[in-house]
Amino acid sequence: MTEQPMPPHDHPYHDSASSPPSPANRQTGKPRGPHGRARTGSVIAAIAGNPNSGKTSIFNNLTGMTQSVANYPGVTVERKTGHASHGGREVTLVDLPGTYSLTAYSLDELIARDFVIESKPDVVVNVVSAANLERNLYLTVQLMEMQRPLVIALNMSDLARRQGIRIDTAKMSVLLGAPVIETVGNRGIGLGALIEATADTALGPATQAVRPVSYGHEVETEVEKVAEVVAREEALVRRYPARWVAVKLIEGDKQILKKVRQLASDAAAIESATQTAIAAIESHFGESAEIIIAERRYGFVAGIVRECVRSTAESRQNLTDTIDSVVCHRIFGPAFVLAVVYSLFAAIFKVADEWKWLFGKSPTDWVKWLFDDVLAGLVAGLEPDMPLLHSLLHDGVIGGVGGVLAFVPLIATLFAFVAVLEDTGYVARVAFVLDRLLRVFGLQGKSMLAMIVGGGLGAGGCAVPAVMATRTLREEKDRLVTMLVVPLMNCGAKIPVYLMLIAAFFASHKPQILFSLWAASWAIALGAAWVLRKTVFRGEQTPFVMELPAYHMPTLRGVLTHTWERVWQYIRKAGTVILAVNLLIWAAMSFPRLNTADGADQLRHSIAGRIGSAMEPVTRYAGFDSRDNIALIGGFAAKEVVVGTMGIIHAKDDSSARRAEGLSAKLAADPSWSAARALALMVFVMIYSPCSATLMVIRRESGKWRWALFAMVYTTVLAFIVAATVYQIGRLIG
Ligand code: GDP
Ligand code: MG
């Protein structure tokens, strides 16, 4: 680490002035200056930074768009764009995925780097956490090498100050060749100045050019030689800075090598120059060229930190460290996770269902009242004259959709608690604590984060973003294994099925049963991962350093926004997909018509009834009758449909005198139902096929239909085996 932190001024620096108009210029058709930059109109700025540096907070605050502010990956994987203006300056912002580096090893990193290098934004805004400067600057160094105009948002400056860290921003700005603006992203401090600096850097003359890091004399000599050969290739330098290509080639970057082979007229010359350079570096240092270059980058970063950061010694052990020494402890840590999840489940039933704190009723009572009394009463008048329309409204809409919406209070409470946990930073700790356990089963820390996104904390999850979150995994095998087990987590859509059956058969043990289902989903997912690792995906695990963001006090607004977004998604799904599938199923249960008043006979006569009955000889081993089969088939579309369909079926059951009662009450009173059957149904719903949306995403993310099909088949077979076992044992016990 003897590297001079000051970049020398004498090594070749290819200004973008030498490159012809970039693709981005042509797209927008705006007049550009000699540096390939926008002269008028909106500037395009890419926001890059480490995960948890506060990118999303800054992006949201600047653009006013409500985007999820969460600590897990996957949320910013999709590229988000927004507009910001300040002091007459206009900037179009693109939120890149959060990454620690810009290698070609992970999809996220590739997405971020390709955007900067190929789309050539007018300026890159690098969000850097001041509380974790050293690690964050590693990315900065790599951005500098791409030679786009750069602005540093020194975020978390409040946190750094509290930790006694002082940063000399003026000096840092000189050393990096980029403006450094202190910000507090979640409270919008410094963002006006950030926009001004961003627009000015993009539009102004390149007085403060970003300088690439120097790798020291020996490496620089070799980089120069390769860069010279690269520079001869018109097609290459039109798209990439020659020096950047040279460094990447020496690092052994396969992606760039591929590009060179595609674009260069004499790729062989470049490759042989690269080989010579690598050999020279390796013989000089006795280490691989890739390692030497990475070391130099760290050296540069260490230098910057040494030059610009003053830390007051007394506040070294901060609050975050103190909490972490308990929460991340080898033994207390996992115990704490269990305690948190259990309390979560216990609390939601109290708040949403048991305490009559809302004008004499619980929130759940109110929703039930709305559907069972008010709405059912409204359509009751239709029954004598228009029985089919009444059946459609009463059974299909109120029974189906109402059955799903009845769980909104519970789900909303659950989402709110999980949002608090996410915003404090505790969710990242859960990942850290369980990482060790995961490795035993062939998964790794980042898989853990995907599983939490998928509902691994017991709530609020969805397998669709979870499958997308696997993009942060480097190894293809790690990715596929994670993708295939993530749908086993208890996502938000399975929860209403559990809640309905728990209310019917385990009313005195609500939190305990929900907790057991949570533990079971983990056991099954880990078991499945272990088996997949031993069979289909054998291979080495990749190491990964887990990062722990500092704790934050969640803001009320943040928690409410988060909760509302998810609740609204749930409600909207109930009103669209679930409603459509339920109506389809209602029709399948109502036709062909039979001239009878007996709902049970009609059901047996219908298409759905016949399909359900045909499956019964097999499914009865798990305790499922033809009506459960219909509901479970509907569940392939989305798991909420299971509750909806059961609502329709039991609303149709005219022979019962319990029309006005909720589904749970009806099932509890039905002699053909038992706790064993309920339990079997719950584990079946937990395990069986990912919903259609998840299957589509698995297909898209894995690139193959094969994996989507595999995910569907293996889970359904496994679900049946487990459910049948549970049912048979349950019956023996009674
Ligand atoms: P991203 O992963 O980079 O998109 O980071 P987020 O925007 O999701 O922020 C992660 C966490 O840090 C959230 O809980 C934010 O509220 C919080 N946060 C963001 N910026 C700041 C800041 O400047 N100071 C403090 N104390 N917290 C921040
Ligand atoms: Mg984010």
Side-chain angles (χ1 to χ4, degrees):
M1 304 285 160
T2 49
E3 174 77 321
Q4 257 282 10
M6 273 293 279
H9 297 246
D10 55 356
H11 66 73
Y13 167 52
H14 299 265
D15 195 274
S16 45
S18 56
S19 21
S22 65
N25 298 351
R26 265 179 268 120
Q27 268 167 25
T28 54
K30 292 211 179 82
R32 301 271 160 156
H35 299 285
R37 294 173 194 165
R39 280 278 164 222
T40 57
S42 185
V43 159
I44 296 177
I47 306 187
N50 286 11
N52 287 312
S53 57
K55 271 178 337 85
T56 303
S57 304
I58 289 183
F59 181 74
N60 285 350
N61 259 312
L62 282 177
T63 59
M65 277 169 50
T66 45
Q67 185 189 359
S68 181
V69 184
N71 279 328
Y72 41 69
V75 179
T76 40
V77 160
E78 302 294 353
R79 185 204 294 173
K80 307 233 168 163
T81 310
H83 299 275
S85 59
H86 188 268
R89 292 150 171 104
E90 298 266 331
V91 175
T92 300
L93 293 159
V94 179
D95 194 17
L96 299 181
T99 62
Y100 298 105
S101 177
L102 291 171
T103 57
Y105 290 124
S106 99
L107 222 65
D108 267 347
E109 296 185 11
L110 261 181
I111 291 171
R113 133 178 160 182
D114 279 355
F115 187 80
V116 173
I117 206 85
E118 308 269 358
S119 305
K120 296 195 174 34
D122 299 309
V123 52
V124 177
V125 178
N126 179 201
V127 178
V128 164
S129 166
N132 215 334
L133 195 60
E134 190 143 1
R135 209 213 26 232
N136 277 249
L137 284 177
Y138 190 70
L139 179 72
T140 310
V141 169
Q142 288 171 282
L143 288 169
M144 287 163 71
E145 286 173 340
M146 295 187 171
Q147 300 179 359
R148 286 275 95 201
L150 189 68
V151 173
I152 308 290
L154 194 61
N155 199 38
M156 309 268 177
S157 48
D158 57 330
L159 217 66
R161 198 159 302 144
R162 236 176 295 143
Q163 290 172 9
I165 300 171
R166 293 268 173 283
I167 299 172
D168 184 344
T169 52
K171 194 169 196 182
M172 195 166 141
S173 170
V174 172
L175 292 179
L176 296 176
V180 177
I181 314 291
E182 283 189 84
T183 58
V184 182
N186 56 344
R187 283 190 273 132
I189 297 172
L191 298 189
L194 182 64
I195 283 299
E196 288 182 10
T198 302
D200 291 349
T201 306
L203 297 168
T207 43
Q208 264 205 328
V210 175
R211 294 182 210 90
V213 182
S214 162
Y215 293 107
H217 180 69
E218 291 79 12
V219 178
E220 281 301 329
T221 316
E222 301 304 323
V223 169
E224 250 170 72
K225 283 184 200 158
V226 178
E228 238 164 67
V229 186
V230 171
R232 285 184 217 139
E233 295 287 345
E234 177 66 32
L236 266 177
V237 286
R238 196 181 311 144
R239 295 175 66 169
Y240 315 113
R243 181 187 152 80
W244 181 77
V245 174
V247 172
K248 285 287 148 195
L249 286 171
I250 293 175
E251 275 187 279
D253 189 297
K254 296 221 170 59
Q255 196 72 19
I256 292 305
L257 188 60
K258 221 165 74 191
K259 288 273 194 269
V260 165
R261 286 181 182 155
Q262 274 168 14
L263 296 171
S265 58
D266 191 359
I270 297 178
E271 280 182 59
S272 90
T274 307
Q275 286 319 317
T276 315
I278 291 177
I281 293 170
E282 294 187 348
S283 81
H284 188 276
F285 293 98
E287 274 278 16
S288 87
E290 191 183 358
I291 289 179
I292 295 298
I293 288 184
E295 244 175 34
R296 289 303 157 107
R297 284 192 190 124
Y298 280 118
F300 176 80
V301 168
I304 300 264
V305 171
R306 204 171 45 230
E307 291 284 317
C308 310
V309 177
R310 292 284 165 271
S311 174
T312 43
E314 67 268 29
S315 58
R316 281 266 46 124
Q317 170 89 5
N318 54 41
L319 186 64
T320 293
D321 295 335
T322 316
I323 300 174
D324 276 348
S325 62
V326 180
V327 163
C328 297
H329 188 269
R330 288 185 76 93
I331 296 151
F332 303 134
F336 196 71
V337 172
L338 293 180
V340 165
V341 174
Y342 186 82
S343 328
L344 194 76
F345 292 150
I348 61 154
F349 285 111
K350 296 255 178 289
V351 173
D353 203 2
E354 287 169 28
W355 290 336
K356 317 269 175 221
W357 54 274
L358 206 63
F359 305 107
K361 285 186 197 238
S362 74
T364 302
D365 290 339
W366 280 112
V367 176
K368 281 205 180 109
W369 169 81
L370 178 68
F371 281 98
D372 298 346
D373 297 349
V374 180
L375 292 179
L378 276 179
V379 299
L382 294 169
E383 193 168 12
D385 300 330
M386 288 173 272
L388 199 59
L389 180 63
H390 175 262
S391 164
L392 174 70
L393 291 177
H394 182 271
D395 309 341
V397 179
I398 299 174
V401 176
V404 177
L405 290 182
F407 296 100
V408 163
L410 274 163
I411 300 250
T413 316
L414 205 49
F415 287 172
F417 285 130
V418 171
V420 170
L421 289 181
E422 274 173 359
D423 286 2
T424 52
Y426 182 65
V427 171
R429 266 74 188 180
V430 176
F432 180 84
V433 166
L434 298 187
D435 179 41
R436 220 173 288 134
L437 178 70
L438 246 67
R439 286 177 182 281
V440 179
F441 294 94
L443 290 170
Q444 55 134 312
K446 283 193 180 172
S447 314
M448 174 74 213
L449 291 168
M451 293 178 66
I452 288 179
V453 177
L457 252 196
C462 174
V464 171
V467 168
M468 294 201 293
T470 62
R471 286 192 191 179
T472 54
L473 296 167
R474 290 186 168 201
E475 282 295 322
E476 192 59 21
K477 283 177 181 169
D478 288 343
R479 260 196 102 196
L480 283 170
V481 172
T482 310
M483 217 180 271
L484 290 173
V485 301
V486 144
L488 295 168
M489 295 285 97
N490 288 331
C491 70
K494 297 178 193 174
I495 303 286
V497 183
Y498 303 157
L499 293 175
M500 187 272 290
L501 290 166
I502 289 173
F505 297 98
F506 306 96
S508 50
H509 296 93
K510 285 176 184 172
Q512 290 86 344
I513 295 291
L514 204 51
F515 184 76
S516 312
L517 289 169
W518 171 77
S521 73
W522 271 102
I524 291 163
L526 292 181
W530 188 80
V531 172
L532 288 172
R533 263 289 179 197
K534 290 277 175 242
T535 54
V536 191
F537 304 103
R538 260 179 286 180
E540 284 295 302
Q541 282 174 258
T542 44
F544 165 67
V545 185
M546 187 69 81
E547 68 131 5
L548 297 176
Y551 284 103
H552 300 276
M553 201 60 190
T555 60
L556 184 64
R557 183 165 158 240
V559 170
L560 289 182
T561 315
H562 239 136
T563 308
W564 172 246
E565 271 174 7
R566 289 180 181 164
V567 171
W568 176 238
Q569 237 171 32
Y570 182 83
I571 295 175
R572 204 175 48 189
K573 204 169 155 199
T576 52
V577 182
I578 314 288
L579 177 64
V581 177
N582 275 338
L583 290 182
L584 216 67
I585 293 178
W586 173 85
M589 291 191 293
S590 304
F591 299 98
R593 291 300 287 169
L594 195 66
N595 269 332
T596 171
D598 190 331
D601 282 344
Q602 166 63 46
L603 188 58
R604 232 170 287 129
H605 186 70
S606 71
I607 305 173
R610 289 177 210 184
I611 295 173
S613 307
M615 292 166 65
E616 226 178 59
V618 178
T619 59
R620 71 189 164 86
Y621 291 104
F624 308 154
D625 68 9
S626 64
R627 302 185 294 180
D628 303 334
N629 293 343
I630 301 171
L632 291 172
I633 291 172
F636 277 96
K639 296 276 161 92
E640 295 98 327
V641 171
V642 175
V643 170
T645 306
M646 292 181 80
I648 299 175
I649 294 171
H650 292 271
K652 264 181 163 305
D653 215 345
D654 274 352
S655 52
S656 139
R658 315 179 157 270
R659 297 207 59 156
E661 281 181 19
L663 179 55
S664 294
K666 282 179 190 152
L667 291 185
D670 186 334
S672 71
W673 272 86
S674 63
R677 180 167 162 190
L679 210 54
L681 190 62
M682 288 193 280
V683 295
F684 189 86
V685 167
M686 177 197 299
I687 305 170
Y688 92 114
S689 180
C691 69
S692 53
T694 306
L695 289 174
M696 299 305 280
V697 176
I698 292 179
R699 134 92 188 106
R700 199 182 74 201
E701 294 292 308
S702 69
K704 294 197 179 73
W705 275 113
R706 179 153 49 103
W707 293 123
L709 199 68
F710 180 75
M712 185 167 118
V713 173
Y714 104 87
T715 49
T716 307
V717 171
L718 182 66
F720 182 72
I721 295 171
V722 177
T725 311
V726 165
Y727 181 66
Q728 296 302 338
I729 292 174
R731 255 187 4 156
L732 281 180
I733 301 170

